[in-house]
Amino acid sequence: MNPLIKLAEEALEQSTNMEVLAQEGRWDELTDLQKIHTATIEKIMTAEADDAIKSQLRALLLEIKTTNNRTMDLAGDYKLKLVKEKKTLGQGAKMQKMLNALK
């Protein structure tokens, strides 16, 4: 197997694992894996690909991109949830402050 294809398959596995971690809410582990994934992708993007493997490599990279986009959507949803929770906590603190002022 071509080393570049093997590297792309490794990147796809990393991407799939990151999506699973996002689905499970394991954000710290995802962040650690994302650093490794970024390095793997950089190696692929800076390598010279033989014409014979370009279509296979392109298909793998598109699958990686699709998987990463799903992971980003999950991260965006999680971010919105955190913002909402922070806002709720802030409102609770304001209400407590008002109650304390009435005492």
Side-chain angles (χ1 to χ4, degrees):
M1 175 180 289
N2 182 289
L4 194 52
I5 294 298
K6 187 173 181 173
L7 195 60
E9 287 177 345
E10 183 180 320
L12 179 56
E13 184 177 339
Q14 292 167 348
S15 183
T16 301
N17 289 338
M18 290 186 331
E19 182 179 16
V20 169
L21 291 171
Q23 290 168 345
E24 295 174 355
R26 295 162 53 191
W27 300 104
D28 291 337
E29 293 173 62
L30 186 146
T31 301
D32 294 341
L33 181 54
Q34 191 271 333
K35 292 173 187 173
I36 297 166
H37 181 66
T38 297
T40 304
I41 293 295
E42 286 176 359
K43 288 178 190 175
I44 294 167
M45 300 309 289
T46 58
E48 290 292 323
D50 296 331
D51 287 339
I53 66 161
K54 283 185 179 180
S55 64
Q56 186 180 4
L57 185 60
R58 187 177 303 112
L60 285 166
L61 291 173
L62 285 173
E63 194 170 348
I64 291 166
K65 181 181 178 183
T66 300
T67 305
N68 286 350
N69 285 342
R70 287 192 305 262
T71 302
M72 292 298 294
D73 288 344
L74 291 168
D77 292 345
Y78 182 67
K79 180 181 176 183
L80 289 174
K81 178 184 171 190
L82 290 177
V83 168
K84 185 177 179 179
E85 286 177 6
K86 183 178 179 185
K87 185 177 179 181
T88 301
L89 288 173
Q91 290 172 343
K94 284 181 186 178
M95 290 177 65
Q96 186 61 47
K97 191 175 181 179
M98 287 173 43
L99 289 172
N100 289 342
L102 294 173
K103 290 182 182 179

